[in-house]
Amino acid sequence: MRRAPMTLLNVLTPIPAGRESALDTKLASLPADGLFARVEMVHFARWVIIGQLRSDFSGAPRRRRPLRMKYLLFSSGFNGADTDFFEELRLTVGPAVDEVWNHCVNYPGSARRVEFRQ
């Protein structure tokens, strides 16, 4: 049986002002063995809150503007197509990811299949 090639995915979603602390608390409360261990096609998956851009490296822009809000970065590597990944994510750990992404702007929830994939 041939395995599907690995796909890398990054999703960046804005966090409304005032929700950062609650989101940080939620991320810290996730199980130590990882929420995504139940999603078979996943090699890795991680959420990170981005609050500022680094400028202390060679080639960084000279003029740096602060971010207007914080962002939640979701990075993942998995076997298969992104549509299959989002469907498996939605069906396997949908309520748990809702508890995280509900802190972000315009998150539709995992119950709304098409909007969740978008």
Side-chain angles (χ1 to χ4, degrees):
M1 180 182 197
R2 187 177 171 160
R3 286 185 89 173
M6 186 163 148
T7 301
L8 300 174
L9 173 78
N10 291 303
V11 177
L12 191 64
T13 51
I15 306 166
R19 299 295 300 263
E20 303 94 336
S21 180
L23 176 56
D24 192 44
T25 300
K26 180 61 196 171
L27 292 175
S29 75
L30 292 176
D33 64 345
L35 172 66
F36 300 102
R38 293 182 270 164
V39 184
E40 284 188 31
M41 63 194 307
V42 170
H43 290 278
F44 72 89
R46 174 171 302 157
W47 276 302
V48 177
I49 296 175
I50 298 173
Q52 64 183 7
L53 299 177
R54 285 187 50 206
S55 62
D56 60 344
F57 60 92
S58 176
R62 282 187 235 160
R63 188 169 161 228
R64 165 180 95 138
R65 289 183 275 170
L67 296 175
R68 286 187 243 161
M69 61 178 51
K70 292 185 178 183
Y71 293 85
L72 179 64
L73 173 64
F74 174 71
S75 295
S76 183
F78 51 89
N79 286 349
D82 58 352
T83 53
D84 296 333
F85 169 71
F86 280 114
E87 186 63 8
E88 186 173 345
L89 190 68
R90 190 178 77 80
L91 295 173
T92 307
V93 292
V97 298
D98 286 347
E99 290 180 17
V100 173
W101 270 316
N102 274 335
H103 293 279
C104 296
V105 173
N106 295 328
Y107 176 65
S110 62
R112 299 177 68 184
R113 182 176 177 250
V114 172
E115 292 86 350
F116 180 75
R117 278 198 336 230
Q118 293 172 340

